[in-house]
Amino acid sequence: MKKLFKAAALCCALMLSACSSRKNNSVTAPDGKLDKCTLRFSWWGGDDRHKATLDAVELWNKKHPDISITPEYGGWDGWTEKVSAQMRSGTEPDIMQINYDWLISMSEDGSRFYDLDSLTDFLDLSGYDDEILSFGRMDGRLSALTVSVSGRSLFYNSEVFSSLGAEYPKTWTELAALGKSFGMEDMYPLDLDIQSGGTAWYLAVVYIQQKTGREFISDDGRLGFTVDDISEALEFYKSLEEDHVIRNVRTRTDEDGNAALYQSSEFIDGRVAGVLEWGSAVGKYESVLPDGVLEAGPLLADDSGNNSGWLIKPTLLYAVSGDTKYPDEAAAFIDFLVNDEECAELLGTTRGIPASDKAASALEKSGRLSGLAKECDDMLHNADTVTISPYMELPRMKEFYNTAIESVSYGTADTDTAARQMYDSITDHLEKIRK
């Protein structure tokens, strides 16, 4: 696996804070003791993660009746905007599950999130190596704690593939060929949901990275693709629609509306038989199908067997509000989430394979370090992966990707025109960020 880069090296260059209008309050210093209080804890996810986390919160509240945890949770769509608004108004929860790019978009100087290095009286970090911890560091501060490291993989409805006598594709060529046999049944071997964070563009990036060896966006926020690379990526996406591998945007919108793919009857009923999803989040797709039906397929390679270019990142992180009045108590709860064996059993792999050695060991001992998340993790570990730049995941960037995908899908722009527009928009935006 390609060596993970240090997030701290790039964070100080960014001035993107969604929270700059909020006044900085004085920080409550840790006092080394646990007081009676109520803490708010927020996260996003699917039903499998919600159930597991609510069970963990219930266990905590039983073990620690003086420190009550109030849960706040929902789906991914709109969640960034909700938390951004809370951060601007100073009403954010005490403990938050955060996305990788939030370290730079919501806390440009690191102060919006509490320095976890100062809370080690109640937060044991011995189960983490320095490389994993570095993902949450900004200017030397530990602003957040990595929960897991993951990437997207391909997952398929085994019953549908079996009924058509089809095998899971190993190469891009084999994926394209599936469109014909599935199309004869008015079915699709795969779908790419643009609503959940640029999934369609993600696969196109992997395809071009594998082909050219160039990274889409570098560690320091510079565009590595040329206009021609972006045009070819859009051509690749368009070919998937034309070959009946995926639904076009109009069809997906007409059939699903605003529903996420795992909530779509097209996926649940098997008309769409494959999905590209994070290993840490695949449980929401698995849970809507009968047990054992969803299976992991290979990471797609070129015809020579080269499967490089696939992407990894910290799946998510835990952070404490810089304004919390109860930093010790918040740290104790995070310690419970990442180190407690009973909690690890409840959470399982609903947030991916735990980065904490203690949680991972607890799952391994009980035989629960398995399933689709583990299969995804193993495949990515054995591939020549590229670590996602957090710049790639910023909301404004995703708007550029989806605008280009939609214009090509609807035919309102050819791939060259859409590529030039995307290239100029991304270049201008990254230059503004770095100033």
Side-chain angles (χ1 to χ4, degrees), residues 122-433:
F122 295 103
L123 177 58
D124 181 6
L125 300 176
S126 63
Y128 290 84
D129 62 36
D130 290 339
E131 192 165 51
I132 294 297
L133 289 176
S134 73
F135 278 116
R137 290 200 182 279
M138 295 179 64
D139 295 333
R141 294 165 47 95
L142 186 61
S143 294
L145 185 61
T146 298
V147 178
S148 63
V149 177
S150 184
R152 281 189 172 109
S153 290
L154 294 156
F155 303 91
Y156 302 104
N157 185 318
S158 60
E159 290 184 347
V160 172
F161 270 74
S162 178
S163 70
L164 297 180
E167 296 184 356
Y168 303 146
K170 299 181 179 66
T171 67
W172 305 102
T173 302
E174 290 177 0
L175 175 65
L178 286 175
K180 183 176 181 180
S181 57
F182 275 75
M184 291 175 64
E185 303 294 332
D186 193 28
M187 301 169 74
Y188 297 85
L190 184 65
D191 203 12
L192 299 171
D193 186 352
I194 67 171
Q195 294 174 332
S196 58
T199 310
W201 181 244
Y202 182 106
L203 192 65
V205 165
V206 172
Y207 176 79
I208 297 299
Q209 288 186 156
Q210 186 177 108
K211 186 172 183 178
T212 66
R214 287 189 285 272
E215 293 186 22
F216 174 47
I217 297 178
S218 65
D219 298 358
D220 59 354
R222 298 181 188 278
L223 183 58
F225 278 15
T226 65
V227 176
D228 287 343
D229 290 336
I230 295 175
S231 180
E232 187 172 2
L234 294 172
E235 286 280 4
F236 165 75
Y237 172 81
K238 185 63 175 177
S239 73
L240 295 179
E241 290 188 346
E242 292 173 344
D243 291 340
H244 205 84
V245 174
I246 62 173
R247 295 178 292 173
N248 60 40
V249 174
R250 184 186 299 278
T251 299
R252 189 183 307 117
T253 302
D254 289 346
E255 293 177 345
D256 296 350
N258 293 322
L261 183 57
Y262 73 94
Q263 298 169 321
S264 163
S265 61
E266 305 301 311
F267 175 78
I268 295 171
D269 295 341
R271 182 167 171 257
V272 169
V275 61
L276 176 69
E277 185 53 271
W278 300 102
S280 58
V282 71
K284 62 191 177 187
Y285 288 91
E286 191 175 18
S287 65
V288 299
L289 299 179
D291 288 347
V293 166
L294 196 66
E295 294 183 347
L299 298 177
L300 295 176
D302 62 21
D303 291 338
S304 69
N306 168 31
N307 69 350
S308 65
W310 287 85
L311 295 155
I312 60 169
K313 70 163 188 172
T315 312
L316 46 85
L317 307 93
Y318 290 136
V320 173
S321 166
D323 287 343
T324 187
K325 301 302 180 186
Y326 301 101
D328 292 296
E329 294 76 10
F333 181 65
I334 291 180
D335 184 83
F336 168 78
L337 290 174
V338 301
N339 291 324
D340 185 89
E341 289 192 7
E342 287 184 80
C343 182
E345 290 288 332
L346 292 174
L347 295 178
T349 57
T350 58
R351 286 175 171 81
I353 305 302
S356 164
D357 287 344
K358 295 185 177 182
S361 295
L363 293 181
E364 190 168 19
K365 281 193 300 183
S366 65
R368 294 196 59 201
L369 202 59
S370 60
L372 295 181
K374 181 63 164 58
E375 291 179 44
C376 173
D377 188 73
D378 288 345
M379 284 190 291
L380 289 164
H381 183 79
N382 292 320
D384 183 15
T385 54
V386 176
T387 303
I388 293 176
S389 168
Y391 293 84
M392 180 178 171
E393 300 236 296
L394 293 168
R396 186 73 176 122
M397 299 289 281
K398 291 177 181 178
E399 291 178 12
F400 299 146
Y401 314 150
N402 288 345
T403 295
I405 291 288
E406 288 178 342
S407 65
V408 168
S409 181
Y410 280 106
T412 58
D414 59 36
T415 54
D416 288 341
T417 301
R420 169 54 68 181
Q421 291 173 343
M422 185 199 282
Y423 181 90
D424 291 343
S425 296
I426 290 175
T427 301
D428 291 346
H429 190 58
L430 290 177
E431 287 178 356
K432 290 176 183 177
I433 292 171

Side-chain angles (χ1 to χ4, degrees), residues 76-91:
W76 169 249
D77 289 342
W79 196 255
T80 298
E81 293 76 13
K82 175 181 178 177
V83 177
S84 293
Q86 291 175 327
M87 295 286 281
R88 283 195 300 271
S89 63
T91 59

